[in-house]
């Protein structure tokens, strides 16, 4: 795990920009619980503040907002606008939302903030937080080639970013070794035993395979969406060996490498921080599910849905004091229709990104959040985001994670309000029957409201 330390002087969060000094930040949103010291990750303790701002009855539609006279004029106007705009018919009637002042941790606005709904891909924020905390942002995943008994075995190490070029480099090294030993023929096997046999998560259906998400294995090349990514990678590797003059005998098979096998070649992935950045920008569910298993292994748990989600919950609650009230988590990507998470919890996770204590560990989550109007990300113009009359004013001003499932749309992130202060927000809707693009437009409008450009 990476080390989380406390700085004596705190500074205000500014994505990609300057930070101004401010007083030490109280523990969490609305009085987050004290951080619990973990054996593996030393975290400075923090005093308990008052009761949570989200302690309201989940069944009420009451707004969990500070008293209006305690908010400045711009926040009062924003809250009033959100009270009206959250009732947009495009969003339906089942919406959980909250806005927090990142500097003071005051709740500016809330609407059923503690109601747990399907978060869709917003769940990836939780998976990313746990992976970076357990493994560390500099962690790399290693793919190996070993030789024994006439067989080259490609051993998966949980690198979901492995490319055919990476395999080609390992193949060249293996070919050189074989030829120097006077060998011109070999069998090829794949070892993906790092992960158990793939299963469907609770809330998944077989229709997800392999296009929406591939069966989760420890070996894959070029992100191929196939049922057996390990054999597929082995076949690519075998073709590369053949192209370099080595005869490959028989078909690629599954095997478990022996401890006596000789190391031949290996490839290390980029840093975990870079992988998380890519995963969030593009909302890559395959990377998320692989990271869930590698995080479980890093914490000494089984590389399963259950082992991974247990670690995520433990990291969020014990190490960061994030409330898990109402949270149900069955995968790492948010594709499970059984997943549940309130806007309040998502906001607490995002609030960690505004705390300089966690900059070194969690900074790649902040940097990986899609930006409104940024091409290539899930808030890009090619997806029709922030392009209508109400939200286009916020292009380049919103940093947020998207989430889309049938019957669930979410948008959670950060933006600078009209008062110049950074706001943490989360909006999740379930059950709207409106067109998906119309729901997204309404969500973008809420974010633009928080920004203040849609006054």
């Amino acid at each position: 795990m990476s080390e989380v330390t406390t700085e004596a002087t705190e500074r205000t969060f500014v994505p990609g920009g300057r930070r101004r000094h401010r007083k030490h930040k109280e523990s969490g949103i609305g009085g987050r619980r004290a951080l619990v010291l973990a054996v593996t990750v030393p975290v400075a303790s923090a005093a308990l503040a008052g009761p949570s701002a989200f302690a309201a009855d989940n069944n009420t539609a009451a707004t969990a907002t500070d008293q209006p006279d305690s908010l400045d004029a711009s926040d009062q106007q924003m809250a009033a606008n959100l009270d009206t705009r959250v009732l947009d018919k495009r969003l339906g009637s089942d919406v959980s939302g909250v806005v927090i002042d990142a500097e003071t941790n005051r709740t500016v606005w809330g609407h059923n903030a503690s109601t747990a709904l399907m978060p869709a891909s917003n769940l990836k924020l939780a998976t990313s937080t746990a992976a970076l905390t357990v493994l560390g942002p500099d962690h790399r995943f290693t793919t190996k080639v070993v030789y024994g008994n006439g067989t080259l075995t490609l051993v998966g190490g949980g690198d979901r970013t492995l490319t055919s070029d990476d395999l080609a480099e390992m193949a060249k090294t293996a070919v050189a070794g074989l030829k120097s030993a006077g060998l011109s023929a070999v069998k090829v096997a794949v070892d993906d035993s790092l992960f158990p046999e793939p299963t469907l998560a609770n809330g998944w259906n077989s229709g997800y395979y392999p296009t929406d998400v591939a069966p989760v294995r420890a070996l894959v090349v070029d992100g191929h969406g196939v049922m057996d990514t390990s054999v597929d990678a082995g076949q690519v590797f075998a073709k590369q060996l053949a192209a370099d003059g080595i005869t490959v005998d028989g078909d690629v098979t599954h095997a478990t490498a022996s401890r006596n096998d000789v190391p031949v070649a290996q490839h290390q992935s980029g840093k975990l921080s870079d992988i998380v950045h890519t995963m969030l920008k593009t909302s890559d569910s395959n990377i998320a599910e692989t990271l869930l298993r590698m995080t479980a292994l890093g914490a000494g748990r089984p590389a399963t849905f259950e082992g991974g989600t247990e670690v995520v919950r433990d990291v969020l609650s014990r190490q960061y004091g994030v409330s898990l009230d109402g949270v149900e988590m069955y995968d790492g990507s948010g594709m499970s229709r059984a997943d549940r998470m309130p806007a309040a919890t998502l906001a607490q996770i995002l609030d960690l990104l505004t705390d300089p204590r966690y900059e070194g560990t969690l900074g790649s989550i902040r940097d990986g959040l899609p930006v409104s109007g940024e091409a290539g990300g899930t808030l890009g113009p090619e997806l029709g985001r922030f392009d209508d009359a109400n939200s286009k004013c916020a292009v380049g001003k919103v940093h947020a994670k998207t989430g889309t499932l049938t019957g669930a749309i979410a948008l959670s992130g950060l933006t600078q309000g009209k008062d110049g202060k950074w706001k943490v927000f989360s909006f999740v809707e379930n059950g709207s029957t409106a067109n998906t693009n119309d729901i997204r437009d309404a969500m973008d409008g809420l974010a633009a409201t928080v920004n203040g450009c849609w006054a």
Side-chain angles (χ1 to χ4, degrees), residues 147-152 174-186 244-247:
Y147 177 82
N149 297 321
T151 301
L152 281 176
V175 167
L178 291 170
K179 289 182 176 180
S180 67
L183 300 173
S184 60
V186 71
D244 285 338
I246 298 297
T247 299

Side-chain angles (χ1 to χ4, degrees), residues 10-21:
E10 302 289 353
R11 296 171 294 174
T12 298
F13 163 76
V14 181
R18 302 188 305 274
R19 296 176 183 269
R20 51 188 172 84
H21 293 287

Side-chain angles (χ1 to χ4, degrees), residues 7 10-22 353-360 363 366-367 422:
E7 295 184 1
E10 302 289 353
R11 296 171 294 174
T12 298
F13 163 76
V14 181
R18 302 188 305 274
R19 296 176 183 269
R20 51 188 172 84
H21 293 287
R22 62 172 169 83
L353 309 184
T354 74
D355 192 328
R357 290 179 297 174
Y358 312 128
E359 168 73 18
R366 179 200 66 215
D367 296 338
W422 284 91

Side-chain angles (χ1 to χ4, degrees), residues 359-370:
E359 168 73 18
T361 302
L362 305 179
S364 60
I365 298 178
R366 179 200 66 215
D367 296 338
L369 292 174

Side-chain angles (χ1 to χ4, degrees), residues 91-310:
L91 296 173
S93 59
D94 204 358
V95 181
S96 178
V98 71
V99 178
I100 304 298
D101 185 293
E103 184 169 355
T104 65
N105 290 324
R106 294 168 68 187
T107 305
V108 178
W109 175 86
H111 178 87
N112 297 329
S114 56
T115 298
L117 300 176
M118 276 190 291
S121 286
N122 274 206
L123 192 81
K124 292 181 174 74
L125 294 168
T127 304
S128 301
T129 300
L132 289 164
T133 302
V134 171
L135 301 172
D138 294 332
H139 186 83
R140 299 174 187 267
F141 305 108
T142 304
T143 305
K144 301 177 181 179
V145 177
V146 298
Y147 177 82
N149 297 321
T151 301
L152 281 176
T153 302
L154 186 61
V155 183
D159 178 10
R160 203 59 179 59
T161 64
L162 187 73
T163 68
S164 53
D165 287 342
D166 300 330
L167 283 184
E169 288 299 318
M170 288 192 288
K172 288 180 181 179
T173 301
V175 167
L178 291 170
K179 289 182 176 180
S180 67
L183 300 173
S184 60
V186 71
K187 294 181 180 179
V188 172
V190 290
D191 181 352
D192 59 6
S193 60
L194 186 65
F195 296 168
E197 188 70 16
T199 60
L200 288 167
N202 181 19
W204 283 18
N205 63 67
S206 58
Y208 284 177
Y209 286 165
T211 52
D212 292 324
V213 63
V216 189
R217 301 181 188 273
L219 181 61
V220 62
V221 64
D222 292 333
H224 288 168
V226 296
M227 289 301 292
D228 193 330
T229 59
S230 300
V231 168
D232 175 68
Q235 291 170 340
V236 172
F237 183 64
K239 289 179 181 178
Q240 292 168 334
L241 293 173
D244 285 338
I246 298 297
T247 299
V248 176
D249 295 330
D251 295 329
V252 174
T253 59
H254 281 274
T256 301
S258 167
R259 292 182 179 180
N260 296 322
D261 286 349
V262 178
V264 174
Q266 71 173 33
H267 170 78
Q268 285 196 320
S269 71
K271 293 181 179 181
L272 175 59
S273 57
D274 294 332
I275 294 173
V276 165
H277 183 280
T278 298
M279 186 262 286
L280 292 174
K281 285 287 186 186
T282 61
S283 201
D284 191 310
S285 294
N286 287 297
I287 291 178
E289 295 302 341
T290 300
L291 290 184
L292 184 73
R293 283 156 180 72
M294 295 306 294
T295 301
L297 291 174
R301 309 284 176 81
T304 60
F305 288 114
E306 296 78 10
T309 55
E310 181 182 352

Side-chain angles (χ1 to χ4, degrees), residues 70-100:
S70 69
L71 301 175
D72 64 27
S74 61
D75 280 349
Q76 289 184 42
Q77 184 61 58
M78 179 228 297
N81 288 341
L82 287 173
D83 281 339
T84 299
R85 294 167 186 172
V86 76
L87 302 179
D88 189 317
K89 291 182 179 180
R90 292 175 294 178
L91 296 173
S93 59
D94 204 358
V95 181
S96 178
V98 71
V99 178
I100 304 298

